[in-house]
Amino acid sequence: LDDSYDLLTDREREVLQMVAEGRTNKEVAAMLNISLTTVETHRTHILQKLGLHSVPELILYAVRKGIIS
């Protein structure tokens, strides 16, 4: 399960970090210069690949992985 992070693309990792830091989809879209729909798609894929079901779970995952402190 720990290796599931390896399934993420570089872009998905960027989105994961930003979401985990508490940024909104809109903020992530603006910062990465991508559409809101694209951010939502990335988020969906991230949750699926990591087997998570919510943003709080995503944040906890990121803290445990040391992606955010």
Side-chain angles (χ1 to χ4, degrees):
L1 190 68
D2 282 335
D3 299 331
S4 53
Y5 184 72
D6 296 336
L7 298 173
L8 301 182
T9 63
D10 289 342
R11 179 62 91 184
E12 285 169 347
R13 290 176 192 196
E14 278 184 291
V15 172
L16 165 61
Q17 182 173 357
M18 290 180 170
V19 170
E21 286 169 351
R23 299 189 194 282
T24 63
N25 286 357
K26 204 170 174 180
E27 287 173 318
V28 174
M31 290 173 73
L32 296 179
N33 204 25
I34 56 179
S35 76
L36 191 55
T37 312
T38 304
V39 174
E40 287 163 0
T41 302
H42 283 317
R43 272 180 58 159
T44 302
H45 289 162
I46 291 164
L47 292 174
Q48 283 172 344
K49 287 181 181 181
L50 299 179
L52 304 173
H53 304 100
S54 65
V55 172
E57 282 185 29
L58 187 94
I59 292 168
L60 189 60
Y61 173 87
V63 170
R64 284 184 179 149
K65 283 290 281 187
I67 297 164
I68 58 167
S69 51

